[in-house]
Amino acid sequence: MNRADFVEGLRGGSAVALASAPFGALFGALAVENGMSLSEAAFMSATVYAGASQMVGIELFGHNVHAWLIVLSILAVNFRHVLYSAALARYIGHFTPVQKFFTFFLLVDPQFAEAVKRSEAGKPLTFAWYFGFGIIIYIPWVLISVAGGMLGGFIGDPKAIGLDILLPAYFLGIVLGFRKRDNFLPVAVVSGVASVLAYRYVGSPWHVSLGAAAGIVLAALLPLAPQEPDPEADALQSEVHEV
């Protein structure tokens, strides 16, 4: 792997790792509080690797819900990753099968957003950069989950000191990073409203997938803005025809 790309990925992912740390600790504390051992909490963080889904799973575990319903609920929260994978596929066609395995395993919201923005900016999406960005988030997430389970009694309520706002604020920044896309505002508004209504009348965690589905349907129905002509591309095409 290219060392410079790997180091650049590490630097980029470190901010995400820092923002997600309080939630990793909170998950560990809640997992132990709901009867899981430290090893079980670590295993869940290492395999599921999705903060919102892990929180949903813990909440359901504590209510003695059937295993199939827990799996279905986690799938509902993480269904957006299927769409992430499809959107990212065109940028990683040069990856080997093994590299694609790690690519999709490490695929979380900020990983997807940064990978797409990097590709659209004309920078090469190398596996070294991608792996560096992902691994600096993944390893601390697992370790901090364990630390949260060990020291859960000292964490207290994260809302009391404002820790609960860190990750939502970061995700809001990710969304706003795409604000120049065609039809961004109507899609974002419809998705948000649908999610709120689904949370009110259907409940969690289904509001996540239902809000996303509403935004996807609207995006598919709305026309794209007309593309501005590119003089350089037109000139190059003319030269090719002349040759």
Side-chain angles (χ1 to χ4, degrees):
M1 293 193 299
N2 184 290
R3 182 177 179 180
D5 285 352
F6 181 72
V7 172
E8 184 182 355
L10 290 176
R11 291 173 179 170
S14 59
V16 185
L18 182 62
S20 61
F23 295 89
L26 179 60
F27 163 75
L30 292 176
V32 172
E33 183 179 331
N34 282 274
M36 296 182 73
S37 65
L38 285 177
S39 60
E40 289 171 338
F43 182 75
M44 188 174 185
S45 282
T47 53
V48 178
Y49 184 44
S53 299
Q54 291 177 222
M55 295 296 187
V56 168
I58 287 299
E59 182 179 350
L60 295 178
F61 281 138
H63 291 84
N64 297 318
V65 177
H66 291 294
W68 67 269
L69 184 57
I70 295 175
V71 173
L72 189 61
S73 298
I74 291 176
L75 178 62
V77 176
N78 273 0
F79 183 77
R80 68 191 186 282
H81 288 236
V82 176
L83 304 176
Y84 288 169
S85 301
L88 195 62
R90 58 177 172 168
Y91 301 119
I92 61 171
H94 56 290
F95 286 11
T96 67
V98 174
Q99 290 174 339
K100 288 180 180 179
F101 170 82
F102 286 105
T103 295
F104 293 128
F105 178 79
L106 294 172
L107 184 59
V108 291
D109 300 89
Q111 184 94 26
F112 168 76
E114 294 300 328
V116 171
K117 286 194 289 186
R118 181 180 178 87
S119 299
E120 292 183 345
K123 297 181 180 179
L125 182 58
T126 63
F127 180 72
W129 175 89
Y130 189 100
F131 187 74
F133 192 100
I135 204 67
I136 197 63
I137 304 171
Y138 175 73
I139 293 179
W141 175 261
V142 177
L143 296 179
I144 292 173
S145 295
V146 175
M150 296 173 62
L151 306 173
F154 298 98
I155 295 177
D157 185 3
K159 296 180 181 180
I161 53 178
L163 291 180
D164 60 315
I165 198 61
L166 291 179
L167 208 56
Y170 183 83
F171 284 144
L172 180 60
I174 291 176
V175 173
L176 291 177
F178 292 93
R179 64 187 179 278
K180 295 183 179 179
R181 289 285 188 92
D182 294 341
N183 302 320
F184 168 82
L185 184 59
V187 171
V189 170
V190 167
S191 182
V193 171
S195 181
V196 171
L197 292 176
Y199 183 83
R200 173 66 176 82
Y201 294 105
V202 181
S204 177
W206 304 102
H207 67 291
V208 177
S209 295
L210 292 174
I216 292 169
V217 170
L218 180 63
L221 294 175
L222 290 175
L224 294 175
Q227 297 293 324
E228 296 183 359
D230 187 344
E232 295 183 1
D234 292 342
L236 179 59
Q237 187 174 9
S238 299
E239 292 179 2
V240 172
H241 285 310
E242 290 176 0
V243 173

